[in-house]
Amino acid sequence: MANKASDQFILKNNNGIEITFAAHGGRLVSAIVPSAGGEKADVLVGYDTVDEALKGDLFFGALCGRYANRIVGGKFELDGETIQLDVNNGPNHLHGGNEGFNQRIWDVEEINKEGCTSAFRLTLVSPDGDQKYPGELKVNVVYSLNDNNEFKIEYEAETTKSTVINLTSHPYFNLTGDLKQSAADHLLTINANAFTPIDPKVETCNGEVAEVNGTPMDFTTEKPIREAVSSDFDQIKMVDGLDHNFVVNKEGANIARVAVLREPVSGRTLEVFTDQPGLQVYTGNHFDGSEIGKNGVPVQKYCGVALETQIFPNSPNHENYPNAVLRPGEKYKHNCIYRFGF
Ligand code: BGC
């Protein structure tokens, strides 16, 4: 039977973690995680009820696609043809268009997965021409949780025509569990020696890759996020915080640890592992308190940190960026692990 938008599902493990998601957008609506002292709290920015979530911010915790992040002008060349997607974010295409995967009702089934305490398969068939992307795309996402406190997201997709793809998940973490506290005080390490700067002319990346060394973008050793977001660095001032793709230090398709977020008071940590070449770090710069989140707390700037594993923004327009093209007969695969510590 088809799911309703508000249908919810819960992953649990034996250490007290409970992650709830909705069929609508596959949205992660809460993640209850103990602190070092054993106090449980919800570490995701979001809403108290699914009904509010369905009316509120479109991306909180959601699966984004077909192309998460931006494509300049929504335009690119594929096999000599110009593809023009919808433009839904200033001059650009963002997170798959107006009716991206975050807006779809996914089919959800509970599955048994070895080594996991809970697992669900989410599936979606995106028809040929959906949001003007070529090819019918069959998408399969597995959410699983195990007793190593690893919440894993495994993405797979296949297409009937050559197309572009970049899937991701969009939770904002606040490891204090208290949304009145700023996530800018979390400590962050990113295993990346380079990032892809934002070109103000196109409002996203233009093919450039820059070293982080000597700039506030250098998170290769742990530091408070606030040190970066309060700096005068032009890349940061331009977007009022972090909203940047980091080029993670990683060879090939192996899974590596790319980031660690740490909140010293609760003792909670979040490690991010992926096989993807990029990590978009977004500090929720556009929130201004007008959105009311969990426990009636207004959602403020820097309320949470999104750590989105993916390829690079605007990759379909730059050959030096990772390949975004998926062809019939190939399988898109992407693994992301969020491992909680406490
Ligand atoms: C992007 C931000 C955008 C946000 C929308 C993030 O992934 O990097 O620029 O405003 O999504 O929720």
Side-chain angles (χ1 to χ4, degrees):
M1 210 180 63
N3 285 120
K4 295 192 299 302
S6 59
D7 284 349
Q8 295 195 72
F9 308 86
I10 306 182
L11 299 115
K12 289 185 188 183
N13 76 359
N14 293 308
N15 305 322
I17 298 185
E18 253 188 62
I19 297 172
T20 304
F21 69 95
H24 188 269
R27 289 180 195 212
L28 304 169
V29 294
S30 65
I32 309 291
V33 179
S35 67
E39 215 174 294
K40 290 185 183 176
D42 182 355
V43 299
L44 291 190
V45 177
Y47 302 94
D48 282 326
T49 64
V50 134
D51 288 342
E52 287 168 272
L54 297 186
K55 291 190 211 109
D57 186 282
L58 298 175
F59 300 113
F60 280 172
L63 291 170
C64 300
R66 288 188 187 189
Y67 198 94
N69 220 313
R70 291 178 174 81
I71 297 176
V72 170
K75 205 163 142 181
F76 58 94
E77 301 283 313
L78 183 58
D79 300 334
E81 245 187 83
T82 302
I83 311 276
Q84 178 66 62
L85 306 172
D86 291 337
V87 166
N88 63 329
N89 181 258
N92 295 328
H93 178 85
L94 175 73
H95 294 333
N98 284 319
E99 293 293 322
F101 291 174
N102 59 309
Q103 296 283 67
R104 303 300 169 81
I105 301 176
W106 291 67
D107 282 323
V108 181
E109 68 171 315
E110 185 154 22
I111 57 169
N112 283 318
K113 194 170 149 65
E114 214 189 308
C116 297
T117 50
S118 296
F120 292 87
R121 178 178 291 115
L122 295 82
T123 49
L124 186 72
V125 179
S126 167
D128 187 9
D130 189 4
Q131 310 303 298
K132 310 211 173 77
Y133 286 91
E136 180 188 82
L137 192 77
K138 284 203 170 83
V139 189
N140 196 317
V141 176
V142 173
Y143 284 164
S144 64
L145 182 66
N146 65 22
D147 277 337
N148 289 326
N149 306 324
E150 292 169 332
F151 172 60
K152 188 166 185 187
I153 309 176
E154 290 163 277
Y155 306 82
E156 279 185 3
E158 284 177 293
T159 183
T160 57
K161 292 182 188 161
S162 292
T163 191
V164 297
I165 184 167
N166 182 34
L167 305 179
T168 200
S169 168
H170 210 302
Y172 291 87
F173 296 97
N174 182 321
L175 299 179
T176 66
D178 171 5
L179 300 175
K180 292 198 284 298
Q181 294 189 45
S182 175
D185 297 315
H186 288 26
L187 305 171
L188 180 62
T189 315
I190 307 172
N191 184 18
N193 292 343
F195 75 109
T196 53
I198 300 167
D199 174 352
K201 289 196 286 299
V202 295
E203 298 186 17
T204 187
C205 309
N206 63 6
E208 201 187 330
V209 176
E211 296 286 309
V212 297
N213 193 13
T215 79
M217 305 303 283
D218 189 348
F219 282 89
T220 52
T221 51
E222 184 184 71
K223 68 180 185 192
I225 292 173
R226 196 174 295 287
E227 245 179 58
V229 297
S230 63
S231 82
D232 281 342
F233 192 56
D234 61 344
Q235 280 290 313
I236 287 176
K237 288 186 85 172
M238 201 189 304
V239 290
D240 204 9
L242 287 170
D243 191 1
H244 295 86
N245 168 62
F246 287 80
V247 180
V248 300
N249 299 334
K250 201 172 85 47
E251 291 290 316
N254 58 316
I255 298 183
R257 189 170 78 165
V258 297
V260 185
L261 187 66
R262 190 161 75 85
E263 201 286 299
V265 179
S266 65
R268 294 190 185 94
T269 56
L270 176 77
E271 294 170 282
V272 185
F273 299 81
T274 191
D275 49 12
Q276 296 296 290
L279 181 75
Q280 181 78 16
V281 179
Y282 182 50
T283 43
N285 314 336
H286 73 284
F287 297 122
D288 59 5
S290 53
E291 200 74 46
I292 304 298
K294 290 174 184 172
N295 300 315
V297 179
V299 181
Q300 303 286 5
K301 185 161 87 166
Y302 311 152
C303 60
V305 192
L307 298 165
E308 309 158 37
T309 59
Q310 52 188 264
I311 57 167
F312 302 175
N314 202 24
S315 285
N317 286 308
H318 295 288
E319 273 177 14
N320 61 320
Y321 280 4
N323 172 51
V325 178
L326 181 71
R327 301 200 178 272
E330 295 175 348
K331 198 173 247 182
Y332 168 86
K333 285 188 177 210
H334 168 174
N335 288 285
C336 168
I337 300 169
Y338 292 120
R339 179 157 81 191
F340 297 99
F342 39 87

